[in-house]
Amino acid sequence: MSKSLKEQNRWQIWLIVSANALVLLGVTRENAISLIGLNSAFDTHNLIPVGTALTISIVLNGLLSADAKSKLVFLRWHNTLPGHRAFSKYAKHDPRIDLKELQKLHGSMLPEDPIEENRVWFRMYKDVENTPAVLQVHRDFLLLRDYTGLSILFLFFLGSIGFYAIESLDTAELYCGMLFIQYVIVRQAASNYGIRMVTTVLSEKMHSKSS
């Protein structure tokens, strides 16, 4: 039985959490963001703290629902998914997609209501979900969506530890600034992959019927 996409991403999530835990250890131990601090995190005495931070972060990530992660990625409170704007926005800007052809495949006018847009898009997704292009972009989106959820938890959880454990206030503020930048960058990447997933599904659907 093949692994699910989330199971395939599990080792990368572990690496992400481990790297963030090690950076915190490096900063708190050396009181500076340096390679010396990172190297010291691999000492035997630090294995328990790393494992503890790893476990806590993964548990906290599990507390965030898919809807909560989508809100963090797309910065919307309602109709958060890009599928809610699949036809009215994203399909119009992708040169691979012919809206008239999609309308023929749908059999009627493409919906403009966000909820209905997402429903129609999801039905198209189910038809092409196992194509290589869709599988790859879906896996990348899930990885970065989970990373976005983790990065906001890192900001509050590891950031709070940093302010408590780091003696220098300037270093603690710099560390938290790095955590915030991590969230901003990962969130943008996750948003781009989510939109790419939506348009890739439409493109694959259109070409699967025309071939």
Side-chain angles (χ1 to χ4, degrees), residues 155 174-187:
L155 179 59
L174 176 60
Y175 172 65
C176 288
M178 291 174 59
L179 291 177
F180 178 72
I181 291 172
Q182 176 179 228
Y183 163 70
V184 170
I185 293 174
V186 175
R187 186 215 69 81

Side-chain angles (χ1 to χ4, degrees), residues 1-13:
M1 183 177 179
S2 60
K3 293 182 178 179
S4 68
L5 296 180
K6 288 184 70 67
E7 288 177 325
Q8 292 175 41
N9 287 336
R10 187 164 295 168
W11 69 272
Q12 292 168 290
I13 292 295

Side-chain angles (χ1 to χ4, degrees), residues 4-205:
S4 68
L5 296 180
K6 288 184 70 67
E7 288 177 325
Q8 292 175 41
N9 287 336
R10 187 164 295 168
W11 69 272
Q12 292 168 290
I13 292 295
W14 276 73
L15 286 177
I16 289 166
V17 177
S18 298
N20 275 269
L22 289 173
V23 168
L24 175 62
L25 284 171
V27 175
T28 55
R29 179 156 179 171
E30 300 297 332
N31 199 27
I33 301 174
S34 64
L35 290 177
I36 296 175
L38 289 179
N39 289 333
S40 70
F42 286 96
D43 289 350
T44 303
H45 299 91
N46 284 327
L47 291 180
I48 293 177
V50 170
T52 301
L54 183 65
T55 302
I56 291 175
S57 296
I58 290 177
V59 169
L60 289 175
N61 182 47
L63 295 177
L64 290 177
S65 66
D67 184 59
K69 292 174 185 177
S70 294
K71 289 175 180 177
L72 289 171
V73 169
F74 299 108
L75 302 179
R76 288 174 175 268
W77 193 255
H78 301 290
N79 300 325
T80 57
L81 298 173
H84 288 114
R85 294 163 292 284
F87 308 106
S88 60
K89 183 176 181 180
Y90 300 124
K92 293 179 179 179
H93 302 291
D94 193 307
R96 300 173 298 171
I97 298 171
D98 184 339
L99 282 173
K100 291 183 180 179
E101 183 65 24
L102 280 178
Q103 187 167 298
K104 290 179 182 178
L105 292 175
H106 179 51
S108 60
M109 293 290 292
L110 293 171
E112 296 182 356
D113 175 72
I115 295 177
E116 190 59 28
E117 276 191 72
N118 192 57
R119 287 173 179 166
V120 171
W121 174 84
F122 187 75
R123 286 197 293 269
M124 293 184 178
Y125 160 74
K126 296 303 291 183
D127 289 337
V128 297
E129 63 178 324
N130 292 317
T131 60
V134 173
L135 281 172
Q136 184 59 56
V137 73
H138 191 188
R139 179 182 176 182
D140 291 339
F141 168 63
L142 289 177
L143 172 63
L144 290 172
R145 187 197 65 179
D146 285 350
Y147 190 178
T148 300
L150 281 170
S151 67
I152 205 71
L153 292 173
F154 293 152
L155 179 59
F156 289 100
F157 177 64
L158 299 184
S160 297
I161 294 176
F163 270 106
Y164 175 78
I166 299 172
E167 294 181 4
S168 169
L169 180 60
D170 289 341
T171 302
E173 290 176 345
L174 176 60
Y175 172 65
C176 288
M178 291 174 59
L179 291 177
F180 178 72
I181 291 172
Q182 176 179 228
Y183 163 70
V184 170
I185 293 174
V186 175
R187 186 215 69 81
Q188 184 61 55
S191 176
N192 291 342
Y193 273 109
I195 294 168
R196 187 68 175 176
M197 178 184 168
V198 165
T199 55
T200 297
V201 164
L202 298 180
S203 176
E204 289 292 310
K205 174 68 175 178

